Coordinates of all heavy atoms in Angstrom, one line a residue:
M27 N -8.3 7.3 -8.2 CA -8.4 8.6 -7.5 C -9.2 9.6 -8.4 O -9.9 10.4 -7.8 CB -7.0 9.1 -7.2 CG -6.3 8.4 -6.1 SD -4.8 9.2 -5.4 CE -3.8 9.5 -6.8
Q28 N -9.0 9.4 -9.7 CA -9.8 10.4 -10.6 C -11.3 10.2 -10.4 O -12.0 11.2 -10.4 CB -9.4 10.1 -12.0 CG -9.9 11.2 -13.0 CD -9.5 12.6 -12.6 OE1 -8.3 12.8 -12.3 NE2 -10.4 13.5 -12.7
E29 N -11.8 9.0 -10.2 CA -13.2 8.8 -10.0 C -13.7 9.5 -8.7 O -14.8 10.1 -8.7 CB -13.5 7.3 -9.9 CG -13.4 6.6 -11.3 CD -14.3 7.2 -12.3 OE1 -15.5 7.4 -12.0 OE2 -13.9 7.3 -13.5
F30 N -12.9 9.4 -7.6 CA -13.3 10.0 -6.4 C -13.3 11.6 -6.6 O -14.2 12.2 -6.2 CB -12.3 9.7 -5.3 CG -12.5 8.4 -4.6 CD1 -11.5 7.5 -4.6 CD2 -13.7 8.0 -4.0 CE1 -11.6 6.2 -4.0 CE2 -13.9 6.8 -3.5 CZ -12.9 5.9 -3.4
K31 N -12.3 12.1 -7.3 CA -12.3 13.5 -7.5 C -13.5 13.9 -8.4 O -14.1 15.0 -8.1 CB -11.0 13.9 -8.2 CG -9.7 13.8 -7.3 CD -8.5 14.2 -8.1 CE -7.2 14.1 -7.3 NZ -6.0 14.5 -8.0
S32 N -13.8 13.2 -9.4 CA -14.9 13.5 -10.3 C -16.2 13.5 -9.5 O -17.2 14.2 -9.9 CB -15.0 12.5 -11.4 OG -13.9 12.6 -12.3
A33 N -16.3 12.7 -8.5 CA -17.5 12.6 -7.7 C -17.6 13.7 -6.6 O -18.5 13.7 -5.8 CB -17.6 11.2 -7.0
G34 N -16.5 14.5 -6.5 CA -16.5 15.6 -5.6 C -15.8 15.4 -4.3 O -15.8 16.2 -3.4
F35 N -15.2 14.2 -4.2 CA -14.4 13.9 -3.0 C -13.0 14.5 -3.1 O -12.5 14.6 -4.2 CB -14.3 12.4 -2.8 CG -15.5 11.7 -2.5 CD1 -16.2 11.0 -3.5 CD2 -16.1 11.7 -1.2 CE1 -17.4 10.4 -3.2 CE2 -17.2 11.0 -0.9 CZ -17.9 10.4 -1.9
T36 N -12.5 14.9 -1.9 CA -11.1 15.3 -1.9 C -10.2 14.2 -1.2 O -10.7 13.6 -0.2 CB -10.9 16.7 -1.1 OG1 -11.4 16.5 0.2 CG2 -11.6 17.8 -1.9
I37 N -9.0 14.1 -1.7 CA -8.1 13.1 -1.2 C -7.0 13.8 -0.5 O -6.4 14.7 -1.1 CB -7.6 12.2 -2.3 CG1 -8.7 11.5 -3.1 CG2 -6.6 11.2 -1.8 CD1 -8.4 10.9 -4.4
P38 N -6.7 13.5 0.7 CA -7.1 12.5 1.6 C -8.2 13.0 2.6 O -8.5 12.3 3.5 CB -5.9 12.1 2.3 CG -5.1 13.3 2.5 CD -5.4 14.1 1.2
Q39 N -8.7 14.2 2.5 CA -9.6 14.7 3.5 C -10.9 13.9 3.6 O -11.4 13.6 4.7 CB -9.9 16.2 3.2 CG -8.8 17.2 3.4 CD -7.7 17.1 2.3 OE1 -7.9 16.6 1.2 NE2 -6.5 17.6 2.7
D40 N -11.5 13.5 2.5 CA -12.7 12.7 2.5 C -12.5 11.2 2.4 O -13.2 10.5 3.0 CB -13.6 13.1 1.3 CG -14.1 14.6 1.3 OD1 -14.3 15.1 2.5 OD2 -14.2 15.2 0.3
V41 N -11.5 10.8 1.7 CA -11.2 9.4 1.5 C -9.7 9.2 1.3 O -9.0 10.0 0.6 CB -11.9 8.8 0.3 CG1 -11.6 9.4 -1.0 CG2 -11.8 7.3 0.2
A42 N -9.1 8.3 2.0 CA -7.7 8.0 1.9 C -7.5 6.9 0.8 O -8.4 5.9 0.8 CB -7.1 7.5 3.2
V43 N -6.5 6.9 0.0 CA -6.3 6.0 -1.1 C -4.9 5.4 -1.0 O -3.9 6.2 -0.8 CB -6.5 6.6 -2.5 CG1 -6.3 5.6 -3.6 CG2 -7.9 7.2 -2.5
A44 N -4.8 4.1 -1.1 CA -3.5 3.5 -1.2 C -3.4 2.5 -2.3 O -4.4 1.9 -2.7 CB -3.2 2.8 0.2
G45 N -2.2 2.3 -2.8 CA -2.0 1.3 -3.9 C -1.1 0.2 -3.5 O -0.7 0.1 -2.4
F46 N -0.7 -0.6 -4.5 CA 0.1 -1.8 -4.2 C 1.1 -1.9 -5.4 O 0.6 -1.9 -6.6 CB -0.8 -3.0 -4.1 CG 0.0 -4.2 -3.7 CD1 0.3 -4.4 -2.4 CD2 0.4 -5.2 -4.6 CE1 1.0 -5.6 -2.0 CE2 1.0 -6.3 -4.2 CZ 1.4 -6.5 -2.9
N47 N 2.3 -2.0 -5.2 CA 3.3 -2.3 -6.2 C 4.3 -1.1 -6.4 O 5.3 -1.3 -7.0 CB 2.7 -2.6 -7.6 CG 3.7 -3.3 -8.5 OD1 4.7 -3.8 -8.0 ND2 3.4 -3.3 -9.8
N48 N 4.1 0.0 -5.8 CA 5.0 1.2 -5.9 C 5.5 1.5 -7.3 O 6.6 1.7 -7.6 CB 6.2 1.0 -5.0 CG 7.0 2.3 -4.8 OD1 6.4 3.4 -4.8 ND2 8.3 2.1 -4.5
D49 N 4.5 1.4 -8.3 CA 4.9 1.8 -9.6 C 5.3 3.2 -9.7 O 5.0 4.1 -8.8 CB 3.6 1.7 -10.5 CG 3.2 0.2 -10.8 OD1 4.1 -0.6 -10.9 OD2 2.0 0.0 -10.9
F50 N 6.1 3.6 -10.7 CA 6.7 4.9 -10.9 C 5.6 6.0 -10.8 O 5.7 7.0 -10.3 CB 7.5 5.0 -12.2 CG 8.0 6.3 -12.5 CD1 9.0 6.9 -11.7 CD2 7.5 7.1 -13.5 CE1 9.6 8.1 -11.9 CE2 8.0 8.4 -13.8 CZ 9.1 8.9 -13.0
I51 N 4.4 5.6 -11.4 CA 3.3 6.6 -11.5 C 2.8 7.0 -10.1 O 2.2 8.1 -9.9 CB 2.2 6.0 -12.4 CG1 1.2 7.1 -12.8 CG2 1.4 4.9 -11.6 CD1 1.6 8.0 -13.8
S52 N 3.1 6.2 -9.1 CA 2.6 6.5 -7.7 C 3.1 7.8 -7.2 O 2.5 8.5 -6.4 CB 3.0 5.4 -6.8 OG 2.5 4.1 -7.1
S53 N 4.3 8.1 -7.6 CA 4.9 9.4 -7.1 C 4.6 10.6 -8.1 O 5.0 11.7 -7.8 CB 6.5 9.2 -7.0 OG 7.0 8.9 -8.3
L54 N 3.9 10.3 -9.1 CA 3.6 11.4 -10.1 C 2.1 11.8 -10.0 O 1.7 12.9 -10.5 CB 3.8 10.9 -11.5 CG 5.3 10.6 -11.8 CD1 5.4 10.1 -13.3 CD2 6.2 11.7 -11.6
T55 N 1.3 11.0 -9.4 CA -0.2 11.4 -9.3 C -0.3 12.6 -8.3 O 0.6 12.9 -7.6 CB -1.0 10.2 -8.7 OG1 -0.5 9.9 -7.4 CG2 -0.9 9.0 -9.6
E56 N -1.5 13.2 -8.4 CA -1.8 14.3 -7.5 C -3.1 14.0 -6.7 O -4.1 13.9 -7.3 CB -2.0 15.6 -8.3 CG -2.3 16.8 -7.5 CD -1.2 17.1 -6.4 OE1 0.0 16.9 -6.7 OE2 -1.6 17.4 -5.3
P57 N -3.0 13.7 -5.4 CA -1.8 13.7 -4.6 C -1.0 12.4 -4.8 O -1.5 11.5 -5.4 CB -2.3 13.7 -3.2 CG -3.7 13.1 -3.3 CD -4.2 13.4 -4.6
K58 N 0.3 12.5 -4.4 CA 1.1 11.3 -4.5 C 0.5 10.1 -3.8 O 0.0 10.3 -2.7 CB 2.5 11.6 -4.0 CG 3.3 12.6 -4.9 CD 4.6 12.9 -4.3 CE 5.5 13.8 -5.2 NZ 4.9 15.0 -5.7
L59 N 0.6 8.9 -4.4 CA -0.1 7.8 -3.9 C 0.7 7.0 -2.8 O 1.8 6.5 -3.1 CB -0.5 6.8 -5.0 CG -1.3 5.6 -4.7 CD1 -2.7 6.0 -4.2 CD2 -1.4 4.7 -6.0
T60 N 0.1 6.8 -1.7 CA 0.6 5.8 -0.7 C 0.6 4.4 -1.3 O -0.4 4.1 -1.9 CB -0.2 5.9 0.6 OG1 0.0 7.2 1.2 CG2 0.2 4.8 1.6
T61 N 1.7 3.6 -1.0 CA 1.7 2.4 -1.7 C 2.5 1.4 -0.9 O 3.2 1.7 0.0 CB 2.3 2.5 -3.1 OG1 2.2 1.3 -3.8 CG2 3.7 3.0 -3.1
I62 N 2.4 0.1 -1.3 CA 3.3 -1.0 -0.7 C 4.4 -1.3 -1.7 O 4.1 -1.5 -2.9 CB 2.4 -2.3 -0.5 CG1 1.2 -2.0 0.4 CG2 3.3 -3.4 0.0 CD1 1.6 -1.8 1.8
N63 N 5.6 -1.3 -1.3 CA 6.7 -1.6 -2.1 C 7.1 -3.1 -1.8 O 7.3 -3.4 -0.6 CB 7.9 -0.7 -1.8 CG 9.0 -0.9 -2.8 OD1 8.8 -1.2 -3.9 ND2 10.3 -0.7 -2.3
Y64 N 7.3 -3.9 -2.8 CA 7.7 -5.3 -2.5 C 8.5 -5.8 -3.8 O 8.4 -5.1 -4.8 CB 6.5 -6.2 -2.3 CG 5.6 -6.4 -3.6 CD1 5.8 -7.5 -4.4 CD2 4.7 -5.4 -4.0 CE1 5.1 -7.7 -5.5 CE2 4.0 -5.6 -5.2 CZ 4.2 -6.7 -5.9 OH 3.5 -6.9 -7.1
S65 N 9.1 -6.9 -3.6 CA 9.9 -7.4 -4.7 C 9.0 -8.4 -5.5 O 8.7 -9.5 -5.0 CB 11.1 -8.2 -4.2 OG 11.7 -8.9 -5.2
G66 N 8.6 -8.0 -6.6 CA 7.7 -8.8 -7.5 C 8.5 -10.0 -7.9 O 7.9 -11.1 -8.1
F67 N 9.8 -9.9 -8.1 CA 10.6 -11.0 -8.6 C 10.6 -12.1 -7.5 O 10.4 -13.3 -7.7 CB 12.0 -10.6 -8.9 CG 12.9 -11.7 -9.2 CD1 13.0 -12.2 -10.5 CD2 13.7 -12.4 -8.3 CE1 13.8 -13.3 -10.9 CE2 14.5 -13.4 -8.6 CZ 14.6 -13.9 -9.9
N68 N 10.8 -11.7 -6.2 CA 10.8 -12.7 -5.1 C 9.5 -13.3 -4.9 O 9.4 -14.5 -4.7 CB 11.2 -12.0 -3.8 CG 12.7 -11.7 -3.8 OD1 13.5 -12.2 -4.6 ND2 13.1 -10.8 -2.9
M69 N 8.4 -12.5 -5.1 CA 7.1 -13.1 -5.0 C 6.8 -14.1 -6.1 O 6.3 -15.2 -5.8 CB 6.0 -12.0 -5.1 CG 4.6 -12.5 -4.8 SD 3.4 -11.2 -4.9 CE 3.7 -10.3 -3.4
G70 N 7.2 -13.8 -7.3 CA 7.0 -14.8 -8.4 C 7.8 -16.0 -8.2 O 7.4 -17.1 -8.5
Q71 N 9.1 -15.9 -7.8 CA 10.0 -17.0 -7.6 C 9.4 -17.9 -6.5 O 9.4 -19.1 -6.6 CB 11.4 -16.5 -7.2 CG 12.4 -17.6 -7.2 CD 13.8 -17.0 -6.9 OE1 13.9 -16.1 -6.1 NE2 14.8 -17.5 -7.6
T72 N 8.9 -17.3 -5.4 CA 8.4 -18.1 -4.3 C 7.1 -18.9 -4.8 O 7.0 -20.1 -4.5 CB 8.0 -17.2 -3.1 OG1 9.2 -16.6 -2.7 CG2 7.4 -18.0 -2.0
A73 N 6.3 -18.2 -5.5 CA 5.0 -18.8 -6.0 C 5.4 -20.0 -7.0 O 4.8 -21.1 -6.9 CB 4.2 -17.8 -6.7
A74 N 6.4 -19.8 -7.8 CA 6.8 -20.8 -8.8 C 7.4 -22.0 -8.0 O 7.0 -23.2 -8.4 CB 7.8 -20.3 -9.7
N75 N 8.1 -21.8 -7.0 CA 8.7 -22.9 -6.2 C 7.6 -23.7 -5.5 O 7.6 -24.9 -5.5 CB 9.7 -22.4 -5.2 CG 11.0 -22.0 -5.8 OD1 11.4 -22.5 -6.9 ND2 11.7 -21.1 -5.2
I76 N 6.6 -23.0 -5.0 CA 5.5 -23.7 -4.3 C 4.7 -24.5 -5.4 O 4.4 -25.7 -5.1 CB 4.6 -22.7 -3.6 CG1 5.3 -22.1 -2.4 CG2 3.3 -23.3 -3.2 CD1 4.6 -20.9 -1.8
L77 N 4.5 -24.0 -6.5 CA 3.8 -24.7 -7.6 C 4.5 -25.9 -8.0 O 4.0 -27.0 -8.2 CB 3.5 -23.7 -8.8 CG 2.9 -24.4 -10.0 CD1 1.5 -24.9 -9.7 CD2 2.8 -23.4 -11.2
L78 N 5.9 -25.8 -8.3 CA 6.7 -26.9 -8.7 C 6.7 -28.0 -7.6 O 6.6 -29.2 -8.0 CB 8.1 -26.4 -9.0 CG 8.2 -25.6 -10.3 CD1 9.6 -25.0 -10.4 CD2 7.8 -26.3 -11.5
N79 N 6.8 -27.6 -6.4 CA 6.8 -28.6 -5.3 C 5.4 -29.4 -5.3 O 5.4 -30.6 -5.1 CB 7.0 -28.0 -3.9 CG 8.4 -27.6 -3.7 OD1 9.3 -28.1 -4.4 ND2 8.7 -26.7 -2.8
S80 N 4.4 -28.6 -5.5 CA 3.0 -29.2 -5.5 C 2.9 -30.2 -6.7 O 2.3 -31.3 -6.6 CB 2.0 -28.1 -5.6 OG 0.7 -28.7 -5.6
L81 N 3.3 -29.8 -7.9 CA 3.2 -30.6 -9.1 C 4.1 -31.9 -9.0 O 3.8 -32.9 -9.6 CB 3.6 -29.8 -10.3 CG 2.7 -28.7 -10.7 CD1 3.3 -27.8 -11.8 CD2 1.3 -29.2 -11.0
S82 N 5.2 -31.8 -8.2 CA 6.0 -33.0 -8.0 C 5.5 -33.9 -7.0 O 6.1 -34.9 -6.7 CB 7.5 -32.6 -7.7 OG 7.5 -32.0 -6.4
G83 N 4.3 -33.6 -6.4 CA 3.7 -34.5 -5.4 C 4.0 -34.2 -4.0 O 3.5 -34.8 -3.1
D84 N 4.7 -33.1 -3.7 CA 5.0 -32.7 -2.4 C 3.9 -31.7 -1.8 O 4.2 -30.6 -1.5 CB 6.4 -32.0 -2.4 CG 6.9 -31.7 -1.0 OD1 6.3 -32.2 0.0 OD2 7.9 -31.0 -0.8
H85 N 2.7 -32.3 -1.7 CA 1.6 -31.5 -1.3 C 1.7 -31.1 0.2 O 1.2 -30.0 0.6 CB 0.3 -32.2 -1.5 CG 0.1 -32.6 -3.0 ND1 -0.2 -31.6 -3.9 CD2 0.1 -33.8 -3.6 CE1 -0.3 -32.2 -5.1 NE2 -0.1 -33.5 -5.0
Q86 N 2.2 -31.9 1.0 CA 2.3 -31.7 2.5 C 3.1 -30.5 2.8 O 2.7 -29.7 3.6 CB 2.8 -32.9 3.2 CG 1.8 -34.1 3.1 CD 0.4 -33.8 3.7 OE1 0.3 -33.0 4.6 NE2 -0.6 -34.3 3.1
S87 N 4.3 -30.3 2.2 CA 5.2 -29.2 2.5 C 4.5 -27.9 2.1 O 4.8 -26.9 2.7 CB 6.6 -29.4 1.9 OG 6.5 -29.2 0.5
V88 N 3.7 -27.9 1.0 CA 3.1 -26.7 0.6 C 2.0 -26.3 1.6 O 1.9 -25.1 1.8 CB 2.4 -26.9 -0.8 CG1 1.6 -25.8 -1.2 CG2 3.5 -27.2 -1.8
L89 N 1.3 -27.2 2.2 CA 0.3 -26.9 3.1 C 0.7 -26.6 4.5 O 0.0 -26.1 5.3 CB -0.8 -28.0 3.1 CG -1.4 -28.3 1.8 CD1 -2.3 -29.6 1.9 CD2 -2.2 -27.1 1.3
K90 N 2.0 -26.9 4.9 CA 2.4 -26.8 6.3 C 3.2 -25.6 6.6 O 3.6 -25.4 7.8 CB 3.3 -28.0 6.6 CG 2.5 -29.3 6.7 CD 3.3 -30.4 7.2 CE 2.5 -31.7 7.3 NZ 3.4 -32.8 7.7
H91 N 3.4 -24.6 5.7 CA 4.2 -23.5 6.1 C 3.6 -22.2 5.5 O 2.8 -22.2 4.6 CB 5.6 -23.6 5.7 CG 5.8 -23.6 4.2 ND1 5.7 -24.7 3.4 CD2 6.2 -22.6 3.3 CE1 5.9 -24.4 2.1 NE2 6.2 -23.2 2.1
T92 N 4.0 -21.1 6.2 CA 3.6 -19.8 5.8 C 4.8 -19.1 5.1 O 5.9 -19.2 5.6 CB 3.1 -18.9 7.0 OG1 2.0 -19.6 7.6 CG2 2.7 -17.5 6.6
V93 N 4.5 -18.4 4.0 CA 5.5 -17.7 3.3 C 5.4 -16.2 3.6 O 4.3 -15.6 3.4 CB 5.4 -17.9 1.8 CG1 6.5 -17.1 1.0 CG2 5.6 -19.4 1.5
L94 N 6.5 -15.6 4.0 CA 6.5 -14.1 4.3 C 7.4 -13.5 3.2 O 8.5 -13.9 3.0 CB 7.0 -13.8 5.7 CG 6.2 -14.3 6.8 CD1 6.9 -14.0 8.1 CD2 4.8 -13.7 6.8
I95 N 6.9 -12.5 2.6 CA 7.7 -11.7 1.6 C 7.8 -10.3 2.2 O 6.8 -9.7 2.5 CB 7.0 -11.7 0.2 CG1 7.0 -13.2 -0.3 CG2 7.7 -10.8 -0.7 CD1 6.5 -13.4 -1.6
N96 N 9.0 -9.9 2.3 CA 9.3 -8.5 2.8 C 8.6 -7.5 2.0 O 8.6 -7.5 0.7 CB 10.8 -8.3 2.9 CG 11.5 -9.1 4.0 OD1 10.9 -9.5 4.9 ND2 12.7 -9.4 3.7
S97 N 8.1 -6.5 2.6 CA 7.5 -5.3 1.9 C 7.7 -4.1 2.8 O 8.1 -4.2 3.9 CB 6.0 -5.6 1.7 OG 5.3 -5.8 2.9
E98 N 7.3 -3.0 2.2 CA 7.5 -1.7 2.9 C 6.3 -0.8 2.6 O 5.9 -0.7 1.4 CB 8.8 -1.0 2.4 CG 9.0 0.3 2.9 CD 10.2 1.0 2.2 OE1 10.7 0.5 1.2 OE2 10.7 2.0 2.7
L99 N 5.7 -0.2 3.6 CA 4.7 0.8 3.4 C 5.3 2.1 3.1 O 6.1 2.6 4.0 CB 3.8 0.8 4.6 CG 2.7 1.9 4.5 CD1 1.7 1.6 3.4 CD2 1.9 1.9 5.9
I100 N 5.0 2.7 2.0 CA 5.5 4.1 1.6 C 4.4 5.0 1.7 O 3.4 5.0 0.9 CB 6.1 4.1 0.2 CG1 7.3 3.1 0.1 CG2 6.6 5.5 -0.1 CD1 7.9 2.9 -1.2
I101 N 4.4 5.8 2.8 CA 3.3 6.8 3.1 C 3.5 8.1 2.3 O 4.6 8.7 2.4 CB 3.2 7.0 4.6 CG1 2.9 5.7 5.3 CG2 2.1 8.1 4.8 CD1 2.9 5.8 6.8
R102 N 2.5 8.4 1.5 CA 2.6 9.6 0.7 C 1.3 10.4 0.9 O 0.5 10.1 1.8 CB 2.8 9.3 -0.8 CG 4.1 8.6 -1.1 CD 4.3 8.5 -2.6 NE 5.6 7.9 -2.9 CZ 5.7 6.7 -3.6 NH1 4.6 6.1 -4.0 NH2 6.9 6.2 -3.8
E103 N 1.1 11.5 0.2 CA 0.1 12.4 0.4 C -1.4 11.9 0.4 O -2.3 12.4 1.0 CB 0.2 13.6 -0.6 CG 1.5 14.4 -0.5 CD 1.7 15.2 -1.7 OE1 0.9 15.2 -2.7 OE2 2.7 16.0 -1.7
S104 N -1.6 10.8 -0.3 CA -3.0 10.3 -0.5 C -3.6 9.7 0.7 O -4.8 9.5 0.8 CB -3.0 9.2 -1.6 OG -2.3 8.1 -1.2
T105 N -2.8 9.6 1.8 CA -3.4 9.1 3.1 C -3.0 10.0 4.2 O -3.3 9.7 5.4 CB -2.8 7.7 3.4 OG1 -1.4 7.7 3.4 CG2 -3.3 6.6 2.4
M106 N -2.5 11.2 3.9 CA -2.0 12.1 5.0 C -3.0 13.3 5.1 O -2.9 14.1 4.3 CB -0.6 12.6 4.7 CG 0.4 11.4 4.7 SD 2.0 12.0 4.3 CE 2.4 13.2 5.5
R107 N -3.8 13.2 6.1 CA -4.7 14.4 6.4 C -3.9 15.5 6.9 O -2.9 15.3 7.6 CB -5.8 14.0 7.4 CG -6.8 13.1 6.8 CD -8.0 13.0 7.7 NE -8.9 12.0 7.2 CZ -10.0 11.7 7.8 NH1 -10.3 12.2 9.0 NH2 -10.8 10.8 7.2
K108 N -4.3 16.7 6.6 CA -3.6 17.9 7.1 C -3.7 18.0 8.6 O -4.7 17.6 9.2 CB -4.1 19.2 6.4 CG -3.8 19.2 5.0 CD -4.3 20.5 4.4 CE -3.9 20.5 2.9 NZ -4.4 21.7 2.2
Q109 N -2.7 18.5 9.2 CA -2.7 18.7 10.7 C -3.8 19.6 11.1 O -4.1 20.6 10.4 CB -1.4 19.2 11.2 CG -0.2 18.3 11.0 CD -0.3 17.1 11.9 OE1 -0.8 17.1 13.0 NE2 0.3 15.9 11.4
L110 N -4.4 19.3 12.3 CA -5.4 20.3 12.8 C -4.7 21.6 13.2 O -3.5 21.6 13.5 CB -6.1 19.6 14.0 CG -6.9 18.3 13.8 CD1 -7.3 17.8 15.1 CD2 -8.0 18.6 12.9
S111 N -5.5 22.6 13.2 CA -4.9 23.9 13.5 C -4.4 23.9 15.0 O -4.9 23.2 15.8 CB -5.9 25.0 13.3 OG -6.9 25.0 14.3
R112 N -3.4 24.7 15.3 CA -2.9 24.8 16.6 C -3.9 25.2 17.6 O -4.0 24.7 18.7 CB -1.7 25.7 16.7 CG -1.0 25.8 18.0 CD 0.2 26.7 18.0 NE 0.7 26.8 19.3 CZ 1.9 26.4 19.7 NH1 2.7 25.9 18.8 NH2 2.3 26.6 20.9
N113 N -4.8 26.1 17.3 CA -5.9 26.6 18.1 C -6.8 25.4 18.6 O -7.2 25.3 19.7 CB -6.7 27.7 17.5 CG -5.9 28.9 17.3 OD1 -5.0 29.2 18.0 ND2 -6.3 29.7 16.4
F114 N -7.1 24.5 17.6 CA -8.0 23.4 17.9 C -7.3 22.5 18.9 O -7.9 22.0 19.8 CB -8.4 22.7 16.6 CG -9.3 21.5 16.9 CD1 -10.6 21.8 17.1 CD2 -8.8 20.2 16.9 CE1 -11.5 20.7 17.3 CE2 -9.7 19.2 17.2 CZ -11.0 19.4 17.4
K115 N -6.0 22.2 18.7 CA -5.3 21.3 19.6 C -5.3 21.9 21.0 O -5.4 21.2 22.0 CB -3.9 21.1 19.1 CG -3.8 20.3 17.9 CD -2.3 20.1 17.5 CE -2.2 19.3 16.2 NZ -0.8 19.2 15.7
L116 N -5.1 23.2 21.1 CA -5.0 23.8 22.5 C -6.4 23.7 23.2 O -6.4 23.5 24.4 CB -4.6 25.3 22.4 CG -3.2 25.5 21.9 CD1 -2.9 27.0 21.7 CD2 -2.2 25.0 23.0
K117 N -7.5 23.8 22.5 CA -8.8 23.7 23.1 C -9.1 22.3 23.6 O -9.9 22.1 24.5 CB -9.9 24.2 22.1 CG -9.8 25.6 21.8 CD -10.9 26.0 20.7 CE -10.9 27.4 20.4 NZ -11.9 27.7 19.3
C118 N -8.5 21.3 22.9 CA -8.7 19.9 23.3 C -8.0 19.5 24.6 O -8.3 18.5 25.1 CB -8.4 19.0 22.2 SG -9.5 19.2 20.8
R119 N -7.0 20.2 25.0 CA -6.2 19.8 26.1 C -6.9 19.9 27.4 O -7.6 20.3 27.9 CB -4.9 20.6 26.2 CG -4.0 20.2 25.1 CD -2.7 20.9 25.1 NE -1.9 20.5 24.0 CZ -0.7 21.1 23.7 NH1 -0.2 22.0 24.5 NH2 0.0 20.7 22.7

């Protein structure tokens, strides 16, 4: 975000920014960073299980299924444009 700001862009008016991992710093940046929250532990455990199955010769089960890992989109200021003025909304009706 700092690079965008240094180049003269404003966030989120000119460019929306989102991150991944919901690190603590996400809520401390200015503006606060929209991010994806997920369980890194579950993701790592699932990847390790797939790898171990593959190494043990079970290649078919690895290729035949999709793995879904629960996640949550946390919307913060870095992707929220300010509301249009009430006068503008009235003119559009």
Side-chain angles (χ1 to χ4, degrees):
M27 288 194 307
Q28 188 59 41
E29 290 298 320
F30 282 124
K31 289 179 181 181
S32 296
F35 293 98
T36 57
I37 302 169
Q39 290 76 18
D40 297 324
V41 62
V43 179
F46 187 79
N47 199 19
N48 194 28
D49 289 326
F50 178 69
I51 194 75
S52 300
S53 62
L54 299 178
T55 60
E56 183 56 41
K58 291 177 175 52
L59 183 64
T60 292
T61 187
I62 301 290
N63 187 36
Y64 70 97
S65 172
F67 178 83
N68 288 345
M69 186 180 287
Q71 187 176 42
T72 301
N75 286 334
I76 291 169
L77 175 63
L78 291 174
N79 287 340
S80 178
L81 292 175
S82 69
D84 188 8
H85 301 288
Q86 292 302 325
S87 69
V88 172
L89 299 175
K90 289 185 178 180
H91 68 277
T92 300
V93 176
L94 297 177
I95 297 184
N96 292 330
S97 60
E98 174 188 16
L99 175 63
I100 300 174
I101 299 173
R102 295 190 180 114
E103 298 165 355
S104 69
T105 56
M106 298 174 62
R107 290 189 180 177
K108 293 184 179 178
Q109 294 289 332
L110 298 174
S111 72
R112 183 180 175 113
N113 291 336
F114 183 78
K115 288 180 183 176
L116 291 174
K117 290 179 184 176
C118 291
R119 289 185 181 175

